[in-house]
Amino acid sequence: MRVREKKVMVIGLDCADPELVFTRFLDKLPHLKRLIQSGASARLRSTDPPITVPAWASMVTGKDPGQLGCYGFRNRFDYGYNSVGIVDSSVITEPTIWDVLGEHGFQSLVMGVPPTYPVKPIEGNMISCCLTPDASSPYTYPSALKHEIERKIGTYLFDVDNFRTAKYDELLTSIYEMTRLRFQTARYLLQAKEWDFFMMVEMGIDRIHHAFWHLMDSKHVLHEPSQYRDAILQYYQYVDQQIGELIASVPGNPMIMVVSDHGAKRMDGGFCINEWLRKEGYLTLKKEPTQLGPLDLSEVDWRRTKAWGYGGYYGRIHLNVKGREPHGLVDASRYERTRNQLIKKLRSLKDDHGARFPVTVFKPDKKYETTNNIPPDLIAYFGDLYWRSIGLVGGNQIFTHENDVGPDGANHDYEGIFISSWKNNSQRVDGGLLLHGLQIADIAPTVLNEFGISPLAGMVGKVIRTQES
């Protein structure tokens, strides 16, 4: 096997939160603590919105969501009213870290990085991500790798079946099994395959945050005494142990990065975006809903509707524009005026107790370098991301403590983690270098720089200068 001196390992922990990793749990995470104290660390500002698919895609391309044309787990694929679908790897056409490295003769080993399903050819080996339907799918490149994994490891798990559940014991069993298999597979592949660049993403931290945050956080509106109070801490400790074993399994002195795509915070409730749009006269239904339920787009009176929205950890609002949507109402000449009216109304919201309700709302075409594919007309964060967007209609209720897609105790936060060191830095523990102002798009040019490759044209990220580089 060819052995190059320069190697980079990126260990991605979806949703790993800086407050938990850097402060609250740090003394109980010996392997991450060693990396932090022997290298550099920082809070890593996620994309807008701070959502898994665009965030990881931005990390591995150095581009923003507008350049990528990817605005969430779901994208609108045309201007029809029922055109929203799940984003997959086919949406991402910008070159990734491993694409660029391959062009320069470097081999990559990539596991679970969203969105990499369906898999595309790379110089090296790839296992697709949490978007993979199941293990019967063609989830590897080369295709023969799938059979090798099944023979050496067993049936691979891409994600847990359902993390929005109160069946806590079943969920914990699934999360731990998924993580065990992921790291076991990683250790095997790192030994068996040629690689210069390795990157994996583990989804368990995101899943356990959403399922157990309210049992850990005494400030949560749904908090209650529970035997699962320390479930999140104990899982972080398990992941830390797996990271330690993974790093120990590789020879030489690779550069190590541990990163996350965004953080997490408690979820105080939901803002019913479509009920609010109805109340303000922007959304009209053909008939009054008899009970709270999902927005049925076939029941929208499009000839009397100016805007509608979607649920999720952030709010997306689309305008019904004349000449753009099939039954558009908003004249193009009033497009900006309508967006500005909505922004003004959203920024002046009061909660159901009459207190100011903070809303951050922006125009995607003003936020990003460009806007490829079809962006929302407005993106909004409710209650400083302590509140999610609820897409339901009916019930004349704007604020709710119920979730429209099942139990969920956490929302995404703006910042994830960045940790960087070298495997053999353990003898130089000096507290580590604390960095500031890092963006998620900085990771791609930083990795390329380690291989002597300049950032690509159009990358919005910058090379991170650590103490050692």
Side-chain angles (χ1 to χ4, degrees), residues 55-89:
W56 287 114
S58 180
M59 183 183 292
V60 300
T61 62
K63 305 290 179 67
D64 69 31
Q67 293 172 297
L68 296 169
C70 174
Y71 305 95
F73 255 109
R74 294 177 294 165
N75 255 22
R76 196 176 177 197
F77 293 115
D78 60 45
Y79 282 109
Y81 298 120
N82 280 305
S83 65
V84 173
I86 300 294
V87 169
D88 64 23
S89 65

PDB file of all heavy atoms in Angstrom, residues 55-89:
ATOM      1  N   ALA A  55     -25.607  22.579   5.415  1.00  0.00           N
ATOM      2  CA  ALA A  55     -24.435  22.853   6.247  1.00  0.00           C
ATOM      3  C   ALA A  55     -23.271  21.931   5.890  1.00  0.00           C
ATOM      4  O   ALA A  55     -22.138  22.386   5.684  1.00  0.00           O
ATOM      5  CB  ALA A  55     -24.789  22.724   7.720  1.00  0.00           C
ATOM      6  N   TRP A  56     -23.515  20.620   5.821  1.00  0.00           N
ATOM      7  CA  TRP A  56     -22.421  19.704   5.457  1.00  0.00           C
ATOM      8  C   TRP A  56     -21.966  19.965   4.033  1.00  0.00           C
ATOM      9  O   TRP A  56     -20.756  19.894   3.724  1.00  0.00           O
ATOM     10  CB  TRP A  56     -22.843  18.244   5.629  1.00  0.00           C
ATOM     11  CG  TRP A  56     -22.937  17.807   7.056  1.00  0.00           C
ATOM     12  CD1 TRP A  56     -24.076  17.434   7.721  1.00  0.00           C
ATOM     13  CD2 TRP A  56     -21.867  17.681   8.008  1.00  0.00           C
ATOM     14  NE1 TRP A  56     -23.786  17.087   9.028  1.00  0.00           N
ATOM     15  CE2 TRP A  56     -22.437  17.233   9.221  1.00  0.00           C
ATOM     16  CE3 TRP A  56     -20.498  17.918   7.952  1.00  0.00           C
ATOM     17  CZ2 TRP A  56     -21.670  17.014  10.376  1.00  0.00           C
ATOM     18  CZ3 TRP A  56     -19.736  17.699   9.097  1.00  0.00           C
ATOM     19  CH2 TRP A  56     -20.326  17.250  10.290  1.00  0.00           C
ATOM     20  N   ALA A  57     -22.925  20.264   3.138  1.00  0.00           N
ATOM     21  CA  ALA A  57     -22.547  20.540   1.748  1.00  0.00           C
ATOM     22  C   ALA A  57     -21.668  21.785   1.659  1.00  0.00           C
ATOM     23  O   ALA A  57     -20.716  21.837   0.872  1.00  0.00           O
ATOM     24  CB  ALA A  57     -23.804  20.704   0.897  1.00  0.00           C
ATOM     25  N   SER A  58     -21.982  22.793   2.464  1.00  0.00           N
ATOM     26  CA  SER A  58     -21.160  23.993   2.491  1.00  0.00           C
ATOM     27  C   SER A  58     -19.773  23.684   3.047  1.00  0.00           C
ATOM     28  O   SER A  58     -18.760  24.182   2.549  1.00  0.00           O
ATOM     29  CB  SER A  58     -21.848  25.072   3.340  1.00  0.00           C
ATOM     30  OG  SER A  58     -21.074  26.239   3.391  1.00  0.00           O
ATOM     31  N   MET A  59     -19.729  22.838   4.075  1.00  0.00           N
ATOM     32  CA  MET A  59     -18.440  22.495   4.685  1.00  0.00           C
ATOM     33  C   MET A  59     -17.504  21.826   3.682  1.00  0.00           C
ATOM     34  O   MET A  59     -16.304  22.098   3.675  1.00  0.00           O
ATOM     35  CB  MET A  59     -18.664  21.571   5.892  1.00  0.00           C
ATOM     36  CG  MET A  59     -17.376  21.223   6.630  1.00  0.00           C
ATOM     37  SD  MET A  59     -17.614  20.064   8.000  1.00  0.00           S
ATOM     38  CE  MET A  59     -18.545  21.040   9.165  1.00  0.00           C
ATOM     39  N   VAL A  60     -18.038  20.951   2.841  1.00  0.00           N
ATOM     40  CA  VAL A  60     -17.155  20.175   1.955  1.00  0.00           C
ATOM     41  C   VAL A  60     -16.967  20.817   0.585  1.00  0.00           C
ATOM     42  O   VAL A  60     -16.231  20.281  -0.251  1.00  0.00           O
ATOM     43  CB  VAL A  60     -17.659  18.722   1.795  1.00  0.00           C
ATOM     44  CG1 VAL A  60     -17.689  18.032   3.154  1.00  0.00           C
ATOM     45  CG2 VAL A  60     -19.012  18.653   1.109  1.00  0.00           C
ATOM     46  N   THR A  61     -17.622  21.950   0.331  1.00  0.00           N
ATOM     47  CA  THR A  61     -17.432  22.655  -0.942  1.00  0.00           C
ATOM     48  C   THR A  61     -16.863  24.057  -0.759  1.00  0.00           C
ATOM     49  O   THR A  61     -16.366  24.650  -1.724  1.00  0.00           O
ATOM     50  CB  THR A  61     -18.760  22.792  -1.708  1.00  0.00           C
ATOM     51  OG1 THR A  61     -19.670  23.574  -0.939  1.00  0.00           O
ATOM     52  CG2 THR A  61     -19.364  21.432  -2.018  1.00  0.00           C
ATOM     53  N   GLY A  62     -17.008  24.624   0.456  1.00  0.00           N
ATOM     54  CA  GLY A  62     -16.585  26.005   0.667  1.00  0.00           C
ATOM     55  C   GLY A  62     -17.548  27.025   0.070  1.00  0.00           C
ATOM     56  O   GLY A  62     -17.210  28.198  -0.041  1.00  0.00           O
ATOM     57  N   LYS A  63     -18.747  26.585  -0.312  1.00  0.00           N
ATOM     58  CA  LYS A  63     -19.740  27.460  -0.932  1.00  0.00           C
ATOM     59  C   LYS A  63     -20.928  27.661   0.021  1.00  0.00           C
ATOM     60  O   LYS A  63     -21.155  26.858   0.932  1.00  0.00           O
ATOM     61  CB  LYS A  63     -20.234  26.849  -2.249  1.00  0.00           C
ATOM     62  CG  LYS A  63     -19.123  26.523  -3.247  1.00  0.00           C
ATOM     63  CD  LYS A  63     -18.494  27.770  -3.821  1.00  0.00           C
ATOM     64  CE  LYS A  63     -17.362  27.453  -4.810  1.00  0.00           C
ATOM     65  NZ  LYS A  63     -17.816  26.796  -6.041  1.00  0.00           N
ATOM     66  N   ASP A  64     -21.699  28.743  -0.216  1.00  0.00           N
ATOM     67  CA  ASP A  64     -22.869  28.983   0.632  1.00  0.00           C
ATOM     68  C   ASP A  64     -24.110  28.301   0.039  1.00  0.00           C
ATOM     69  O   ASP A  64     -24.083  27.833  -1.120  1.00  0.00           O
ATOM     70  CB  ASP A  64     -23.072  30.483   0.882  1.00  0.00           C
ATOM     71  CG  ASP A  64     -23.503  31.254  -0.352  1.00  0.00           C
ATOM     72  OD1 ASP A  64     -24.200  30.685  -1.217  1.00  0.00           O
ATOM     73  OD2 ASP A  64     -23.162  32.454  -0.453  1.00  0.00           O
ATOM     74  N   PRO A  65     -25.205  28.227   0.808  1.00  0.00           N
ATOM     75  CA  PRO A  65     -26.395  27.505   0.313  1.00  0.00           C
ATOM     76  C   PRO A  65     -26.941  28.062  -0.992  1.00  0.00           C
ATOM     77  O   PRO A  65     -27.480  27.305  -1.814  1.00  0.00           O
ATOM     78  CB  PRO A  65     -27.395  27.672   1.463  1.00  0.00           C
ATOM     79  CG  PRO A  65     -26.546  27.767   2.680  1.00  0.00           C
ATOM     80  CD  PRO A  65     -25.352  28.583   2.234  1.00  0.00           C
ATOM     81  N   GLY A  66     -26.817  29.382  -1.214  1.00  0.00           N
ATOM     82  CA  GLY A  66     -27.289  29.944  -2.462  1.00  0.00           C
ATOM     83  C   GLY A  66     -26.472  29.462  -3.651  1.00  0.00           C
ATOM     84  O   GLY A  66     -27.007  29.106  -4.707  1.00  0.00           O
ATOM     85  N   GLN A  67     -25.153  29.446  -3.488  1.00  0.00           N
ATOM     86  CA  GLN A  67     -24.291  28.924  -4.556  1.00  0.00           C
ATOM     87  C   GLN A  67     -24.602  27.456  -4.836  1.00  0.00           C
ATOM     88  O   GLN A  67     -24.571  27.003  -5.977  1.00  0.00           O
ATOM     89  CB  GLN A  67     -22.822  29.075  -4.170  1.00  0.00           C
ATOM     90  CG  GLN A  67     -22.334  30.525  -4.083  1.00  0.00           C
ATOM     91  CD  GLN A  67     -20.933  30.599  -3.499  1.00  0.00           C
ATOM     92  OE1 GLN A  67     -20.708  30.225  -2.347  1.00  0.00           O
ATOM     93  NE2 GLN A  67     -19.992  31.073  -4.296  1.00  0.00           N
ATOM     94  N   LEU A  68     -24.880  26.713  -3.742  1.00  0.00           N
ATOM     95  CA  LEU A  68     -25.176  25.290  -3.886  1.00  0.00           C
ATOM     96  C   LEU A  68     -26.585  25.055  -4.413  1.00  0.00           C
ATOM     97  O   LEU A  68     -26.891  23.970  -4.928  1.00  0.00           O
ATOM     98  CB  LEU A  68     -25.030  24.596  -2.525  1.00  0.00           C
ATOM     99  CG  LEU A  68     -23.623  24.606  -1.916  1.00  0.00           C
ATOM    100  CD1 LEU A  68     -23.672  24.145  -0.468  1.00  0.00           C
ATOM    101  CD2 LEU A  68     -22.695  23.735  -2.736  1.00  0.00           C
ATOM    102  N   GLY A  69     -27.463  26.057  -4.261  1.00  0.00           N
ATOM    103  CA  GLY A  69     -28.867  25.867  -4.632  1.00  0.00           C
ATOM    104  C   GLY A  69     -29.560  24.867  -3.732  1.00  0.00           C
ATOM    105  O   GLY A  69     -30.437  24.105  -4.155  1.00  0.00           O
ATOM    106  N   CYS A  70     -29.206  24.895  -2.448  1.00  0.00           N
ATOM    107  CA  CYS A  70     -29.711  23.919  -1.466  1.00  0.00           C
ATOM    108  C   CYS A  70     -30.079  24.687  -0.198  1.00  0.00           C
ATOM    109  O   CYS A  70     -29.193  25.189   0.492  1.00  0.00           O
ATOM    110  CB  CYS A  70     -28.634  22.876  -1.200  1.00  0.00           C
ATOM    111  SG  CYS A  70     -29.035  21.714   0.095  1.00  0.00           S
ATOM    112  N   TYR A  71     -31.369  24.744   0.127  1.00  0.00           N
ATOM    113  CA  TYR A  71     -31.834  25.638   1.194  1.00  0.00           C
ATOM    114  C   TYR A  71     -32.414  24.899   2.400  1.00  0.00           C
ATOM    115  O   TYR A  71     -33.035  25.513   3.262  1.00  0.00           O
ATOM    116  CB  TYR A  71     -32.859  26.610   0.609  1.00  0.00           C
ATOM    117  CG  TYR A  71     -32.299  27.365  -0.577  1.00  0.00           C
ATOM    118  CD1 TYR A  71     -32.532  26.916  -1.880  1.00  0.00           C
ATOM    119  CD2 TYR A  71     -31.490  28.474  -0.399  1.00  0.00           C
ATOM    120  CE1 TYR A  71     -31.973  27.581  -2.974  1.00  0.00           C
ATOM    121  CE2 TYR A  71     -30.931  29.150  -1.483  1.00  0.00           C
ATOM    122  CZ  TYR A  71     -31.176  28.692  -2.766  1.00  0.00           C
ATOM    123  OH  TYR A  71     -30.619  29.353  -3.837  1.00  0.00           O
ATOM    124  N   GLY A  72     -32.219  23.597   2.455  1.00  0.00           N
ATOM    125  CA  GLY A  72     -32.722  22.820   3.580  1.00  0.00           C
ATOM    126  C   GLY A  72     -32.735  21.348   3.211  1.00  0.00           C
ATOM    127  O   GLY A  72     -32.166  20.939   2.192  1.00  0.00           O
ATOM    128  N   PHE A  73     -33.369  20.531   4.075  1.00  0.00           N
ATOM    129  CA  PHE A  73     -33.565  19.129   3.714  1.00  0.00           C
ATOM    130  C   PHE A  73     -34.441  19.014   2.474  1.00  0.00           C
ATOM    131  O   PHE A  73     -34.313  18.107   1.672  1.00  0.00           O
ATOM    132  CB  PHE A  73     -34.240  18.379   4.878  1.00  0.00           C
ATOM    133  CG  PHE A  73     -33.320  17.500   5.641  1.00  0.00           C
ATOM    134  CD1 PHE A  73     -32.923  17.822   6.926  1.00  0.00           C
ATOM    135  CD2 PHE A  73     -32.835  16.330   5.079  1.00  0.00           C
ATOM    136  CE1 PHE A  73     -32.056  17.006   7.633  1.00  0.00           C
ATOM    137  CE2 PHE A  73     -31.977  15.509   5.778  1.00  0.00           C
ATOM    138  CZ  PHE A  73     -31.583  15.852   7.057  1.00  0.00           C
ATOM    139  N   ARG A  74     -35.360  19.976   2.357  1.00  0.00           N
ATOM    140  CA  ARG A  74     -36.279  19.962   1.221  1.00  0.00           C
ATOM    141  C   ARG A  74     -36.050  21.206   0.375  1.00  0.00           C
ATOM    142  O   ARG A  74     -35.841  22.289   0.897  1.00  0.00           O
ATOM    143  CB  ARG A  74     -37.729  19.913   1.713  1.00  0.00           C
ATOM    144  CG  ARG A  74     -38.099  18.618   2.427  1.00  0.00           C
ATOM    145  CD  ARG A  74     -39.512  18.680   2.955  1.00  0.00           C
ATOM    146  NE  ARG A  74     -39.654  19.684   4.005  1.00  0.00           N
ATOM    147  CZ  ARG A  74     -40.814  20.147   4.443  1.00  0.00           C
ATOM    148  NH1 ARG A  74     -41.929  19.707   3.908  1.00  0.00           N
ATOM    149  NH2 ARG A  74     -40.860  21.034   5.401  1.00  0.00           N
ATOM    150  N   ASN A  75     -36.101  21.031  -0.906  1.00  0.00           N
ATOM    151  CA  ASN A  75     -35.996  22.123  -1.856  1.00  0.00           C
ATOM    152  C   ASN A  75     -37.271  22.204  -2.685  1.00  0.00           C
ATOM    153  O   ASN A  75     -37.941  21.196  -2.914  1.00  0.00           O
ATOM    154  CB  ASN A  75     -34.823  21.887  -2.819  1.00  0.00           C
ATOM    155  CG  ASN A  75     -33.631  22.765  -2.504  1.00  0.00           C
ATOM    156  OD1 ASN A  75     -33.479  23.249  -1.388  1.00  0.00           O
ATOM    157  ND2 ASN A  75     -32.787  22.954  -3.492  1.00  0.00           N
ATOM    158  N   ARG A  76     -37.557  23.387  -3.155  1.00  0.00           N
ATOM    159  CA  ARG A  76     -38.611  23.556  -4.143  1.00  0.00           C
ATOM    160  C   ARG A  76     -37.952  23.368  -5.518  1.00  0.00           C
ATOM    161  O   ARG A  76     -36.990  24.063  -5.858  1.00  0.00           O
ATOM    162  CB  ARG A  76     -39.198  24.953  -3.998  1.00  0.00           C
ATOM    163  CG  ARG A  76     -40.515  25.148  -4.677  1.00  0.00           C
ATOM    164  CD  ARG A  76     -41.045  26.542  -4.390  1.00  0.00           C
ATOM    165  NE  ARG A  76     -42.284  26.765  -5.110  1.00  0.00           N
ATOM    166  CZ  ARG A  76     -42.809  27.961  -5.319  1.00  0.00           C
ATOM    167  NH1 ARG A  76     -42.193  29.051  -4.865  1.00  0.00           N
ATOM    168  NH2 ARG A  76     -43.942  28.082  -5.969  1.00  0.00           N
ATOM    169  N   PHE A  77     -38.447  22.415  -6.313  1.00  0.00           N
ATOM    170  CA  PHE A  77     -37.759  22.069  -7.555  1.00  0.00           C
ATOM    171  C   PHE A  77     -38.323  22.783  -8.781  1.00  0.00           C
ATOM    172  O   PHE A  77     -37.731  22.761  -9.843  1.00  0.00           O
ATOM    173  CB  PHE A  77     -37.766  20.553  -7.752  1.00  0.00           C
ATOM    174  CG  PHE A  77     -36.938  19.843  -6.706  1.00  0.00           C
ATOM    175  CD1 PHE A  77     -37.517  18.996  -5.782  1.00  0.00           C
ATOM    176  CD2 PHE A  77     -35.569  20.059  -6.635  1.00  0.00           C
ATOM    177  CE1 PHE A  77     -36.746  18.357  -4.814  1.00  0.00           C
ATOM    178  CE2 PHE A  77     -34.791  19.427  -5.672  1.00  0.00           C
ATOM    179  CZ  PHE A  77     -35.382  18.574  -4.757  1.00  0.00           C
ATOM    180  N   ASP A  78     -39.517  23.359  -8.681  1.00  0.00           N
ATOM    181  CA  ASP A  78     -40.020  24.251  -9.721  1.00  0.00           C
ATOM    182  C   ASP A  78     -41.021  25.180  -9.049  1.00  0.00           C
ATOM    183  O   ASP A  78     -41.214  25.120  -7.833  1.00  0.00           O
ATOM    184  CB  ASP A  78     -40.614  23.483 -10.912  1.00  0.00           C
ATOM    185  CG  ASP A  78     -41.792  22.598 -10.523  1.00  0.00           C
ATOM    186  OD1 ASP A  78     -42.663  23.067  -9.762  1.00  0.00           O
ATOM    187  OD2 ASP A  78     -41.849  21.447 -10.977  1.00  0.00           O
ATOM    188  N   TYR A  79     -41.685  26.025  -9.822  1.00  0.00           N
ATOM    189  CA  TYR A  79     -42.575  27.013  -9.218  1.00  0.00           C
ATOM    190  C   TYR A  79     -44.018  26.518  -9.106  1.00  0.00           C
ATOM    191  O   TYR A  79     -44.922  27.301  -8.824  1.00  0.00           O
ATOM    192  CB  TYR A  79     -42.504  28.330 -10.001  1.00  0.00           C
ATOM    193  CG  TYR A  79     -41.260  29.122  -9.668  1.00  0.00           C
ATOM    194  CD1 TYR A  79     -40.228  29.252 -10.586  1.00  0.00           C
ATOM    195  CD2 TYR A  79     -41.123  29.715  -8.418  1.00  0.00           C
ATOM    196  CE1 TYR A  79     -39.075  29.963 -10.268  1.00  0.00           C
ATOM    197  CE2 TYR A  79     -39.976  30.421  -8.097  1.00  0.00           C
ATOM    198  CZ  TYR A  79     -38.958  30.546  -9.024  1.00  0.00           C
ATOM    199  OH  TYR A  79     -37.825  31.251  -8.690  1.00  0.00           O
ATOM    200  N   GLY A  80     -44.230  25.213  -9.304  1.00  0.00           N
ATOM    201  CA  GLY A  80     -45.537  24.646  -9.002  1.00  0.00           C
ATOM    202  C   GLY A  80     -45.763  24.623  -7.496  1.00  0.00           C
ATOM    203  O   GLY A  80     -44.843  24.823  -6.700  1.00  0.00           O
ATOM    204  N   TYR A  81     -47.001  24.366  -7.101  1.00  0.00           N
ATOM    205  CA  TYR A  81     -47.324  24.434  -5.673  1.00  0.00           C
ATOM    206  C   TYR A  81     -46.968  23.148  -4.918  1.00  0.00           C
ATOM    207  O   TYR A  81     -46.915  23.145  -3.699  1.00  0.00           O
ATOM    208  CB  TYR A  81     -48.809  24.738  -5.499  1.00  0.00           C
ATOM    209  CG  TYR A  81     -49.214  26.088  -6.080  1.00  0.00           C
ATOM    210  CD1 TYR A  81     -50.165  26.187  -7.088  1.00  0.00           C
ATOM    211  CD2 TYR A  81     -48.617  27.268  -5.627  1.00  0.00           C
ATOM    212  CE1 TYR A  81     -50.522  27.410  -7.627  1.00  0.00           C
ATOM    213  CE2 TYR A  81     -48.962  28.499  -6.166  1.00  0.00           C
ATOM    214  CZ  TYR A  81     -49.914  28.563  -7.165  1.00  0.00           C
ATOM    215  OH  TYR A  81     -50.253  29.774  -7.692  1.00  0.00           O
ATOM    216  N   ASN A  82     -46.775  22.052  -5.639  1.00  0.00           N
ATOM    217  CA  ASN A  82     -46.447  20.775  -4.989  1.00  0.00           C
ATOM    218  C   ASN A  82     -45.078  20.282  -5.426  1.00  0.00           C
ATOM    219  O   ASN A  82     -44.893  19.099  -5.710  1.00  0.00           O
ATOM    220  CB  ASN A  82     -47.511  19.723  -5.330  1.00  0.00           C
ATOM    221  CG  ASN A  82     -48.745  19.878  -4.479  1.00  0.00           C
ATOM    222  OD1 ASN A  82     -48.682  19.887  -3.249  1.00  0.00           O
ATOM    223  ND2 ASN A  82     -49.885  20.038  -5.134  1.00  0.00           N
ATOM    224  N   SER A  83     -44.120  21.169  -5.463  1.00  0.00           N
ATOM    225  CA  SER A  83     -42.827  20.813  -6.054  1.00  0.00           C
ATOM    226  C   SER A  83     -41.724  20.663  -5.024  1.00  0.00           C
ATOM    227  O   SER A  83     -40.555  20.673  -5.379  1.00  0.00           O
ATOM    228  CB  SER A  83     -42.421  21.885  -7.072  1.00  0.00           C
ATOM    229  OG  SER A  83     -42.203  23.113  -6.408  1.00  0.00           O
ATOM    230  N   VAL A  84     -42.076  20.546  -3.756  1.00  0.00           N
ATOM    231  CA  VAL A  84     -41.060  20.431  -2.714  1.00  0.00           C
ATOM    232  C   VAL A  84     -40.670  18.967  -2.523  1.00  0.00           C
ATOM    233  O   VAL A  84     -41.543  18.103  -2.404  1.00  0.00           O
ATOM    234  CB  VAL A  84     -41.564  21.014  -1.383  1.00  0.00           C
ATOM    235  CG1 VAL A  84     -40.569  20.750  -0.262  1.00  0.00           C
ATOM    236  CG2 VAL A  84     -41.790  22.509  -1.533  1.00  0.00           C
ATOM    237  N   GLY A  85     -39.373  18.686  -2.533  1.00  0.00           N
ATOM    238  CA  GLY A  85     -38.903  17.322  -2.349  1.00  0.00           C
ATOM    239  C   GLY A  85     -37.598  17.283  -1.581  1.00  0.00           C
ATOM    240  O   GLY A  85     -36.950  18.307  -1.348  1.00  0.00           O
ATOM    241  N   ILE A  86     -37.201  16.082  -1.163  1.00  0.00           N
ATOM    242  CA  ILE A  86     -35.977  15.883  -0.398  1.00  0.00           C
ATOM    243  C   ILE A  86     -34.763  16.113  -1.291  1.00  0.00           C
ATOM    244  O   ILE A  86     -34.694  15.612  -2.416  1.00  0.00           O
ATOM    245  CB  ILE A  86     -35.924  14.458   0.186  1.00  0.00           C
ATOM    246  CG1 ILE A  86     -37.130  14.226   1.119  1.00  0.00           C
ATOM    247  CG2 ILE A  86     -34.613  14.236   0.939  1.00  0.00           C
ATOM    248  CD1 ILE A  86     -37.127  15.066   2.364  1.00  0.00           C
ATOM    249  N   VAL A  87     -33.820  16.859  -0.765  1.00  0.00           N
ATOM    250  CA  VAL A  87     -32.560  17.088  -1.477  1.00  0.00           C
ATOM    251  C   VAL A  87     -31.699  15.827  -1.409  1.00  0.00           C
ATOM    252  O   VAL A  87     -31.637  15.167  -0.378  1.00  0.00           O
ATOM    253  CB  VAL A  87     -31.801  18.271  -0.842  1.00  0.00           C
ATOM    254  CG1 VAL A  87     -30.387  18.366  -1.381  1.00  0.00           C
ATOM    255  CG2 VAL A  87     -32.559  19.574  -1.074  1.00  0.00           C
ATOM    256  N   ASP A  88     -31.035  15.490  -2.511  1.00  0.00           N
ATOM    257  CA  ASP A  88     -30.039  14.419  -2.464  1.00  0.00           C
ATOM    258  C   ASP A  88     -28.771  14.882  -3.169  1.00  0.00           C
ATOM    259  O   ASP A  88     -28.647  16.063  -3.524  1.00  0.00           O
ATOM    260  CB  ASP A  88     -30.588  13.104  -3.040  1.00  0.00           C
ATOM    261  CG  ASP A  88     -30.932  13.191  -4.524  1.00  0.00           C
ATOM    262  OD1 ASP A  88     -30.374  14.070  -5.223  1.00  0.00           O
ATOM    263  OD2 ASP A  88     -31.749  12.383  -4.991  1.00  0.00           O
ATOM    264  N   SER A  89     -27.857  13.967  -3.384  1.00  0.00           N
ATOM    265  CA  SER A  89     -26.546  14.363  -3.911  1.00  0.00           C
ATOM    266  C   SER A  89     -26.630  14.950  -5.317  1.00  0.00           C
ATOM    267  O   SER A  89     -25.720  15.674  -5.735  1.00  0.00           O
ATOM    268  CB  SER A  89     -25.603  13.161  -3.903  1.00  0.00           C
ATOM    269  OG  SER A  89     -26.069  12.163  -4.792  1.00  0.00           O
TER     270      SER A  89
END
